Amino acid sequence: MTRRRRRRQWHNQMANPTRGRLAAGIAVMAVTYGLGMGLIWLTRGASLLLWLVGWLTFVRLCRGNWRRGINTDEDGLIERFAFRRRHELRWDEITAVDMTDDEALLHYAGGTVRLAPPLGNWALIATLARRHLGLETDETAEAVIHLPSEQVAEWLGLAPGAVLPCRSRLAWFTGGLAAVFGLVAAAGLLSGQFALRAMALGLLGGMATWPLTLWIVKRYGAARPEYARVMEARAGGQALEVRTDSGWRTVPWGSILRTNRSIAGWTYVSTTGGDLMVPFWLTGRRRLLNAVREAIAARQAGYTLPRLTGEVPESALSPAELEVEAERGLSAAEGE
């Protein structure tokens, strides 16, 4: 009897492209679209070719390479590419993992696999590889310094032991947007212009699909734990608890590596346990991200925060001593 294979997790290569890559890709798309529209009266073939080149360049710039993404399961990982065969790599084939706060390199006999943004959950994949190599408890590879909960509470602007609740304002946001679109659609229907009435009907039809779209997104996120859209959070000095579409999870402050803000206003927070997608409609978002930036600033100042993998041990959630040199402190990061 063959062993049942676990469901593969998908990590999109275009999950959180940087602002620069997005801006460059949009600029290329705009130029090629404009040239294509200018040439459409002369030759449609050239126009279609320009649009295709623009789209492929946009995808290449945002992804950083032609890799579409990576699948992971208990056996290993699979790199999937747009124009060549996929590359399968078993966990036991990996010989070493070099990991920093910005990227990770998986070494194997035939070469190296690079993991870095805009690949979603790049740090989680590196953590899985380290776990299979037995490195998750190797303290010689990375110094571990535990931040006291009082320091984190100060970053959050809280009293010791207090918790910052962050709730979603998505219902208010979508309600306000629906009201504005509804007024625009009503004005179009009441006008005597056929074009405006057609636009209003199209707008109402699009609004009717919103509930179904939100339901699909929620069901998709609940079925895929790696899709971490933060809907609610409880930030305290000891740890950060977030509720995603798949449920609640605990994120140690020491597992935070970096942040990257998308052009749509979402902020992606890379942790060793996977990426978090923090929306702009979350209450307390400014204070939460300020504490995240402070933790990252502490790491960049020369400290190494604890990178915890798997289940969080009880000892990691208790206040710990901060070992620093005399007269050395942490500088406050600028707020958002």
Side-chain angles (χ1 to χ4, degrees), residues 239-292:
L240 170 64
E241 296 181 346
V242 297
R243 180 177 65 85
T244 66
D245 292 308
S246 58
W248 284 94
R249 55 186 281 196
T250 299
V251 180
W253 291 103
S255 68
I256 300 173
L257 300 177
R258 57 173 290 168
T259 62
N260 180 48
R261 185 166 181 171
S262 72
I263 198 171
W266 292 73
T267 298
Y268 289 81
V269 180
S270 295
T271 76
T272 56
D275 291 351
L276 299 177
M277 301 165 57
V278 183
F280 61 87
W281 55 70
L282 198 68
T283 63
R285 176 177 178 272
R286 183 184 296 272
R287 294 167 63 182
L288 174 62
L289 292 180
N290 179 68
V292 168

Coordinates of all heavy atoms in Angstrom, one line a residue, residues 239-292:
A239 N 4.4 38.2 22.5 CA 4.2 37.6 21.1 C 3.1 38.3 20.4 O 2.4 39.1 21.0 CB 3.9 36.1 21.2
L240 N 3.1 38.1 19.1 CA 2.1 38.6 18.2 C 1.1 37.5 17.8 O 1.6 36.5 17.2 CB 2.7 39.3 17.0 CG 1.8 39.7 15.9 CD1 0.8 40.8 16.4 CD2 2.6 40.2 14.7
E241 N -0.1 37.6 18.1 CA -1.1 36.6 17.7 C -2.0 37.2 16.5 O -2.5 38.4 16.7 CB -2.0 36.2 18.8 CG -1.3 35.5 20.0 CD -2.3 35.1 21.1 OE1 -3.4 35.6 21.1 OE2 -1.9 34.3 21.9
V242 N -2.1 36.5 15.4 CA -2.8 37.0 14.3 C -3.9 36.0 13.9 O -3.7 34.8 14.0 CB -1.9 37.3 13.1 CG1 -0.9 38.4 13.4 CG2 -1.1 36.0 12.7
R243 N -5.0 36.5 13.4 CA -6.0 35.6 12.8 C -6.1 35.8 11.3 O -6.3 36.9 10.8 CB -7.4 35.9 13.4 CG -8.5 35.0 12.9 CD -9.8 35.3 13.6 NE -10.3 36.6 13.3 CZ -11.0 37.0 12.2 NH1 -11.3 36.0 11.3 NH2 -11.5 38.2 12.0
T244 N -5.8 34.7 10.6 CA -5.9 34.7 9.2 C -7.2 33.9 8.8 O -7.9 33.5 9.6 CB -4.7 34.1 8.6 OG1 -4.6 32.7 8.9 CG2 -3.4 34.8 9.1
D245 N -7.3 33.7 7.5 CA -8.5 33.0 7.0 C -8.5 31.5 7.5 O -9.5 30.9 7.5 CB -8.6 33.0 5.5 CG -8.9 34.4 5.0 OD1 -9.9 35.0 5.4 OD2 -8.1 34.9 4.1
S246 N -7.3 31.0 7.8 CA -7.2 29.6 8.3 C -7.2 29.5 9.8 O -7.0 28.4 10.3 CB -5.9 29.0 7.7 OG -4.8 29.8 8.1
G247 N -7.3 30.6 10.5 CA -7.4 30.6 12.0 C -6.3 31.4 12.6 O -5.5 32.1 12.0
W248 N -6.2 31.2 14.0 CA -5.2 32.0 14.8 C -3.9 31.3 14.7 O -3.8 30.1 14.6 CB -5.7 32.1 16.2 CG -6.8 33.1 16.4 CD1 -8.1 32.8 16.4 CD2 -6.6 34.5 16.7 NE1 -8.8 34.0 16.7 CE2 -7.9 35.0 16.8 CE3 -5.5 35.3 16.8 CZ2 -8.2 36.4 17.1 CZ3 -5.7 36.7 17.1 CH2 -7.0 37.2 17.2
R249 N -2.8 32.1 14.8 CA -1.5 31.6 14.9 C -0.6 32.6 15.7 O -0.9 33.8 15.7 CB -0.8 31.4 13.5 CG -0.9 32.6 12.6 CD -0.4 32.3 11.2 NE 1.1 32.3 11.1 CZ 1.7 32.4 10.0 NH1 1.0 32.5 8.8 NH2 3.0 32.4 10.0
T250 N 0.4 32.1 16.3 CA 1.3 32.9 17.1 C 2.6 33.1 16.4 O 3.2 32.2 15.8 CB 1.6 32.2 18.5 OG1 0.4 31.9 19.2 CG2 2.6 33.0 19.3
V251 N 3.0 34.4 16.3 CA 4.2 34.8 15.6 C 5.2 35.4 16.6 O 4.9 36.5 17.1 CB 3.9 35.8 14.5 CG1 5.1 36.3 13.8 CG2 2.9 35.3 13.5
P252 N 6.2 34.8 17.0 CA 7.2 35.4 17.9 C 7.8 36.7 17.3 O 8.1 36.7 16.1 CB 8.3 34.3 18.1 CG 7.6 33.0 17.7 CD 6.6 33.4 16.6
W253 N 8.1 37.7 18.0 CA 8.7 38.9 17.5 C 10.1 38.6 16.9 O 10.5 39.2 16.0 CB 8.8 39.9 18.6 CG 7.5 40.5 19.0 CD1 6.8 40.2 20.2 CD2 6.7 41.4 18.3 NE1 5.6 40.9 20.2 CE2 5.5 41.7 19.1 CE3 6.8 42.1 17.1 CZ2 4.5 42.5 18.7 CZ3 5.9 43.0 16.7 CH2 4.7 43.2 17.5
G254 N 10.7 37.6 17.5 CA 12.1 37.2 17.0 C 12.1 36.5 15.7 O 13.2 36.3 15.2
S255 N 10.9 36.1 15.2 CA 10.9 35.5 13.9 C 10.7 36.4 12.7 O 10.7 36.0 11.5 CB 9.8 34.4 13.8 OG 8.5 35.1 13.9
I256 N 10.6 37.7 13.0 CA 10.4 38.7 11.9 C 11.7 39.1 11.2 O 12.7 39.4 11.9 CB 9.7 40.0 12.5 CG1 8.4 39.6 13.1 CG2 9.5 41.0 11.4 CD1 7.7 40.8 13.9
L257 N 11.7 39.0 9.9 CA 12.9 39.2 9.1 C 12.9 40.6 8.4 O 13.9 41.3 8.5 CB 13.1 38.1 8.1 CG 13.3 36.7 8.7 CD1 13.4 35.7 7.5 CD2 14.5 36.6 9.6
R258 N 11.8 40.9 7.7 CA 11.8 42.1 6.9 C 10.4 42.4 6.5 O 9.4 41.6 6.7 CB 12.6 42.0 5.6 CG 12.2 40.8 4.8 CD 13.0 40.8 3.4 NE 12.6 41.9 2.6 CZ 13.2 42.2 1.5 NH1 14.3 41.6 1.1 NH2 12.8 43.2 0.7
T259 N 10.1 43.6 6.0 CA 8.8 44.0 5.5 C 9.0 44.5 4.1 O 10.1 44.9 3.6 CB 8.2 45.2 6.3 OG1 9.1 46.3 6.3 CG2 8.1 44.8 7.8
N260 N 7.9 44.5 3.4 CA 7.8 45.0 2.0 C 6.4 45.4 1.7 O 5.5 44.6 1.9 CB 8.3 43.9 1.0 CG 8.2 44.4 -0.4 OD1 8.7 45.4 -0.7 ND2 7.6 43.6 -1.3
R261 N 6.2 46.6 1.3 CA 4.9 47.1 1.0 C 4.5 47.1 -0.4 O 5.3 47.5 -1.3 CB 4.8 48.6 1.5 CG 3.4 49.2 1.4 CD 3.3 50.5 2.2 NE 1.9 51.0 2.1 CZ 1.5 52.0 2.8 NH1 2.3 52.6 3.7 NH2 0.3 52.5 2.7
S262 N 3.4 46.6 -0.7 CA 2.9 46.4 -2.1 C 2.3 47.7 -2.6 O 2.0 48.6 -1.8 CB 1.9 45.3 -2.3 OG 0.7 45.7 -1.7
I263 N 2.1 47.8 -3.9 CA 1.6 49.1 -4.5 C 0.1 49.2 -4.1 O -0.4 50.3 -4.1 CB 1.8 49.0 -6.0 CG1 1.6 50.5 -6.6 CG2 0.8 48.1 -6.6 CD1 2.0 50.5 -8.0
A264 N -0.6 48.2 -3.7 CA -2.0 48.3 -3.3 C -2.2 48.6 -1.9 O -3.3 48.7 -1.4 CB -2.7 46.9 -3.6
G265 N -1.1 48.9 -1.1 CA -1.3 49.3 0.3 C -1.1 48.2 1.3 O -1.0 48.4 2.5
W266 N -1.0 46.9 0.8 CA -0.7 45.8 1.7 C 0.7 45.8 2.1 O 1.6 46.1 1.3 CB -1.1 44.5 1.1 CG -2.5 44.3 0.8 CD1 -3.3 44.9 -0.2 CD2 -3.4 43.4 1.5 NE1 -4.6 44.5 -0.1 CE2 -4.7 43.6 0.9 CE3 -3.3 42.5 2.5 CZ2 -5.8 42.8 1.3 CZ3 -4.4 41.8 2.9 CH2 -5.6 42.0 2.3
T267 N 1.0 45.4 3.4 CA 2.4 45.3 3.8 C 2.7 43.8 4.1 O 2.0 43.2 4.9 CB 2.6 46.1 5.1 OG1 2.4 47.5 4.9 CG2 4.0 46.0 5.6
Y268 N 3.7 43.3 3.4 CA 4.1 41.9 3.6 C 5.2 41.8 4.7 O 6.2 42.5 4.5 CB 4.6 41.3 2.3 CG 3.5 41.1 1.3 CD1 3.0 42.1 0.5 CD2 2.9 39.8 1.1 CE1 2.0 41.9 -0.4 CE2 1.9 39.6 0.2 CZ 1.5 40.7 -0.6 OH 0.5 40.5 -1.5
V269 N 4.9 41.1 5.7 CA 5.9 40.9 6.8 C 6.5 39.5 6.6 O 5.7 38.5 6.8 CB 5.3 41.1 8.1 CG1 6.3 40.9 9.3 CG2 4.6 42.5 8.2
S270 N 7.8 39.3 6.3 CA 8.4 38.0 6.2 C 8.8 37.5 7.5 O 9.5 38.2 8.3 CB 9.6 38.1 5.2 OG 9.2 38.5 3.9
T271 N 8.4 36.3 7.9 CA 8.9 35.7 9.1 C 9.3 34.3 8.7 O 9.1 33.8 7.7 CB 7.7 35.6 10.1 OG1 6.8 34.5 9.8 CG2 7.0 36.9 10.2
T272 N 10.0 33.6 9.7 CA 10.5 32.3 9.4 C 9.3 31.3 9.4 O 9.5 30.2 8.9 CB 11.4 31.8 10.5 OG1 10.8 32.0 11.8 CG2 12.7 32.7 10.5
G273 N 8.1 31.7 9.8 CA 7.0 30.8 9.7 C 6.1 31.2 8.5 O 5.0 30.6 8.4
G274 N 6.5 32.0 7.6 CA 5.7 32.4 6.5 C 5.4 33.9 6.5 O 5.7 34.6 7.4
D275 N 4.9 34.4 5.3 CA 4.6 35.8 5.2 C 3.3 36.1 5.8 O 2.3 35.3 5.8 CB 4.6 36.2 3.7 CG 6.0 36.1 3.0 OD1 6.9 36.0 3.8 OD2 6.0 36.2 1.8
L276 N 3.2 37.3 6.3 CA 1.9 37.9 6.8 C 1.5 39.1 5.9 O 2.3 39.9 5.6 CB 2.0 38.4 8.2 CG 2.4 37.3 9.3 CD1 2.5 38.0 10.6 CD2 1.3 36.2 9.4
M277 N 0.2 39.1 5.5 CA -0.3 40.2 4.6 C -1.1 41.1 5.5 O -2.2 40.8 5.9 CB -1.1 39.6 3.5 CG -0.3 38.6 2.6 SD -1.4 37.6 1.5 CE -2.3 38.9 0.6
V278 N -0.6 42.3 5.8 CA -1.2 43.2 6.7 C -1.9 44.3 5.9 O -1.3 45.0 5.2 CB -0.2 43.9 7.7 CG1 -0.9 44.8 8.7 CG2 0.6 42.8 8.5
P279 N -3.3 44.3 5.9 CA -4.0 45.3 5.1 C -4.0 46.7 5.7 O -3.8 46.9 6.9 CB -5.4 44.7 5.0 CG -5.5 44.0 6.3 CD -4.2 43.5 6.7
F280 N -4.3 47.7 4.9 CA -4.3 49.1 5.3 C -5.5 49.4 6.2 O -5.6 50.4 6.8 CB -4.2 50.0 4.1 CG -5.3 49.9 3.2 CD1 -6.4 50.7 3.3 CD2 -5.2 49.1 2.0 CE1 -7.5 50.6 2.4 CE2 -6.2 49.0 1.1 CZ -7.3 49.8 1.3
W281 N -6.6 48.5 6.1 CA -7.8 48.8 6.9 C -7.8 48.2 8.3 O -8.8 48.1 8.9 CB -9.0 48.3 6.1 CG -9.0 46.9 5.7 CD1 -9.1 45.8 6.5 CD2 -8.8 46.4 4.4 NE1 -9.0 44.6 5.8 CE2 -8.9 44.9 4.5 CE3 -8.7 46.9 3.1 CZ2 -8.7 44.1 3.4 CZ3 -8.6 46.1 2.0 CH2 -8.6 44.7 2.2
L282 N -6.6 47.7 8.7 CA -6.5 47.1 10.1 C -6.3 48.2 11.1 O -5.5 49.1 11.0 CB -5.3 46.2 10.1 CG -5.3 45.1 11.2 CD1 -6.5 44.1 11.1 CD2 -4.0 44.4 11.3
T283 N -7.2 48.2 12.2 CA -7.0 49.2 13.2 C -5.7 49.0 14.0 O -5.3 47.8 14.1 CB -8.2 49.2 14.2 OG1 -8.2 47.9 14.8 CG2 -9.5 49.4 13.5
G284 N -5.0 50.0 14.4 CA -3.8 49.9 15.1 C -2.6 49.5 14.2 O -1.6 49.1 14.7
R285 N -2.8 49.6 12.9 CA -1.8 49.1 12.0 C -0.5 49.9 12.1 O 0.6 49.3 12.1 CB -2.3 49.2 10.6 CG -1.4 48.9 9.5 CD -2.1 49.0 8.1 NE -1.2 48.7 7.0 CZ -0.4 49.6 6.4 NH1 -0.5 50.9 6.8 NH2 0.3 49.3 5.4
R286 N -0.6 51.2 12.4 CA 0.6 52.1 12.4 C 1.5 51.6 13.6 O 2.7 51.5 13.5 CB 0.2 53.5 12.6 CG 1.4 54.5 12.6 CD 0.9 55.9 12.8 NE 0.0 56.3 11.7 CZ 0.5 56.9 10.6 NH1 1.8 57.1 10.4 NH2 -0.3 57.3 9.6
R287 N 0.8 51.4 14.8 CA 1.6 51.0 16.0 C 2.2 49.6 15.8 O 3.3 49.3 16.3 CB 0.7 51.1 17.2 CG 0.2 52.5 17.5 CD -0.9 52.6 18.5 NE -0.5 52.0 19.8 CZ -1.3 51.9 20.9 NH1 -2.6 52.2 20.7 NH2 -0.9 51.4 22.0
L288 N 1.4 48.7 15.2 CA 1.9 47.4 15.0 C 3.1 47.4 14.1 O 4.1 46.7 14.4 CB 0.7 46.5 14.4 CG 1.1 45.1 14.0 CD1 1.6 44.3 15.2 CD2 -0.1 44.5 13.3
L289 N 3.0 48.1 13.0 CA 4.1 48.1 12.0 C 5.3 48.8 12.6 O 6.5 48.5 12.3 CB 3.7 48.7 10.7 CG 2.7 47.9 9.9 CD1 2.4 48.6 8.6 CD2 3.3 46.5 9.6
N290 N 5.1 49.8 13.5 CA 6.2 50.5 14.1 C 7.0 49.5 15.0 O 8.2 49.5 15.0 CB 5.7 51.7 15.0 CG 6.8 52.4 15.7 OD1 7.6 53.0 15.1 ND2 6.8 52.3 17.0
A291 N 6.3 48.7 15.8 CA 7.0 47.7 16.6 C 7.7 46.7 15.7 O 8.8 46.2 16.0 CB 5.9 46.9 17.5
V292 N 7.1 46.3 14.6 CA 7.8 45.4 13.6 C 9.1 46.0 13.1 O 10.1 45.4 13.0 CB 6.8 45.0 12.4 CG1 7.6 44.3 11.3 CG2 5.7 44.1 12.9

